[in-house]
Amino acid sequence: MPTAVAIKRANPDWQLDWVVQKEMAGLLRDHRAIDSLIEISRRPQRAELRSIKDRLRQKKYDVALDMQGLFKSGRIVGMSGAKRKLGYHWQRELSWLFSAAVRPTPGLHVVEQYLAVAEKLGCPAKPVDFGLTPSTSALEAAESKLSELRLEGRPLAMNLGAGKPEKKWPLARFAEFVYLAREDGWAPFVIGGPGDVGAYAEFRGTCSAPPPSLAGQTSLEELIAVLSLSDAHVGGDTGSTHIAVALGKPVGCMMGPTKPERSGPYGQVEHVVYRGEKGLGDITATDVLGALTKSEASIARSDSV
């Protein structure tokens, strides 16, 4: 998203189209930097690929960017017929056959690695802007669902899950955090997709006064809206953490084994609690509440400048 914003900011007259997997399209609908969204199946059949290719070739693109670095994204760039083809530097699954990798300065956060592609096109990366805002319809649905939770305190979205088991903070730690957060004036509630419903059921058995849950009850668009209406977010290296950051929200983030310097919440990396690649279980609820407090203070300072 910051790459799209940087490109459009430098070249407002450019037509910027984005090919996205259908399941993730909700993140990009109505995004102000995107002129057209082209949705594709996770595993497209030949007929769908032919249709996508015809649609792309009709546009006669000058530039195509592979921002994922996989065969499925590289193939789309190859189909585009664009005069110039560039790609995010971590190219896997033969994606290097379709585009030229843009090598960033070593050690940069992954967001800045993506922005190196925009800079290669002559588009300044700073200020970094995700350009993410919830739609009006999603906001209305989110407001209704949050009101039904009857939260008492400052709404705090909490994600129990992560994409991989080794990235998940123990549920018992989350239970301890809920108690501390309530003492500090927060009103925690659980968010997540359909796959997180089971984790919430298990969590209820570890927490003496479990918070309410919206896990499995929101679309992707509604999740963005829920986070926009929340005062903060707590979670690990998972999608909702990065969405919250894109919305400018404070986050209390615990990470392991992934390293914050590369893939932590952008702009708030210094507040992430990290105890080494195998130390996720050593992170305490007090640590996370402290990280959230620091993150909130940092954002407040930035807003006052």
Side-chain angles (χ1 to χ4, degrees):
M1 291 183 200
T3 305
V5 171
I7 291 171
K8 198 70 172 179
R9 184 172 56 211
N11 306 278
D13 59 326
W14 284 16
Q15 170 82 18
L16 196 155
D17 300 342
W18 192 316
V19 181
V20 61
Q21 189 173 303
K22 291 179 179 178
E23 292 85 349
M24 295 292 105
L27 275 171
L28 301 175
R29 292 193 184 103
D30 301 319
H31 192 285
R32 58 182 168 83
I34 302 171
D35 294 297
S36 178
L37 204 60
I38 302 169
E39 299 182 28
I40 189 169
S41 302
R42 182 181 178 87
R43 293 183 175 85
Q45 300 300 310
R46 289 184 180 180
E48 183 178 1
L49 287 172
R50 283 196 298 268
S51 176
I52 293 286
K53 181 178 180 179
D54 290 343
R55 182 175 177 181
L56 297 177
R57 290 297 176 96
Q58 288 172 4
K59 292 290 189 75
K60 295 182 170 58
Y61 291 104
D62 294 294
V63 180
L65 307 177
D66 179 3
M67 300 299 289
Q68 191 172 27
L70 296 176
F71 176 75
K72 66 179 181 180
S73 56
R75 174 173 57 184
I76 296 297
V77 166
M79 288 178 179
S80 71
K83 301 172 186 175
R84 189 180 186 189
K85 305 179 184 69
L86 300 175
Y88 170 60
H89 74 101
W90 189 25
Q91 295 181 322
R92 296 145 288 165
E93 301 177 357
L94 301 179
S95 59
W96 53 268
L97 292 172
F98 304 101
S99 64
V102 177
R103 305 290 177 187
T105 302
L108 291 179
H109 188 281
V110 68
V111 168
E112 292 162 339
Q113 293 179 33
Y114 286 124
L115 282 165
V117 180
E119 292 177 321
K120 186 71 173 180
L121 292 174
C123 307
K126 300 295 176 71
V128 177
D129 182 359
F130 286 81
L132 182 63
T133 55
S135 68
T136 301
S137 60
L139 274 173
E140 292 173 352
E143 287 172 349
S144 175
K145 290 179 180 182
L146 282 171
S147 67
E148 292 174 2
L149 299 184
R150 301 182 183 278
L151 300 175
E152 296 182 4
R154 303 171 62 196
L156 174 61
M158 189 171 71
N159 193 333
L160 305 174
K164 297 179 179 179
E166 61 269 24
K167 293 184 179 183
K168 294 181 179 181
W169 199 39
L171 294 179
R173 295 290 196 194
F174 272 112
E176 295 167 2
F177 174 82
V178 167
Y179 174 79
L180 292 179
R182 285 173 173 156
E183 288 287 305
D184 203 42
W186 294 100
F189 66 97
V190 174
I191 60 170
D196 297 310
V197 174
Y200 177 67
E202 184 180 350
F203 174 63
R204 289 179 62 87
T206 68
C207 188
S208 58
S213 175
L214 290 178
Q217 299 176 43
T218 59
S219 65
L220 191 49
E221 293 96 325
E222 290 168 352
L223 175 61
I224 295 169
V226 165
L227 289 170
S228 76
L229 295 170
S230 303
D231 282 5
H233 176 281
V234 165
D237 182 12
T238 189
S240 60
T241 297
H242 303 293
I243 293 173
V245 167
L247 292 166
K249 299 295 180 177
V251 298
C253 182
M254 68 298 289
M255 288 184 66
T258 47
K259 297 180 179 180
E261 292 80 6
R262 180 188 182 275
S263 55
Y266 186 72
Q268 302 187 44
V269 168
E270 67 272 22
H271 307 310
V272 173
V273 187
Y274 178 69
R275 297 285 184 267
E277 294 186 13
K278 297 182 180 180
L280 185 61
D282 297 331
I283 296 171
T284 68
T286 302
D287 292 333
V288 176
L289 184 60
L292 176 59
T293 301
K294 291 177 182 177
S295 176
E296 185 178 28
S298 177
I299 288 178
R301 286 194 299 271
S302 298
D303 290 344
S304 65
V305 174

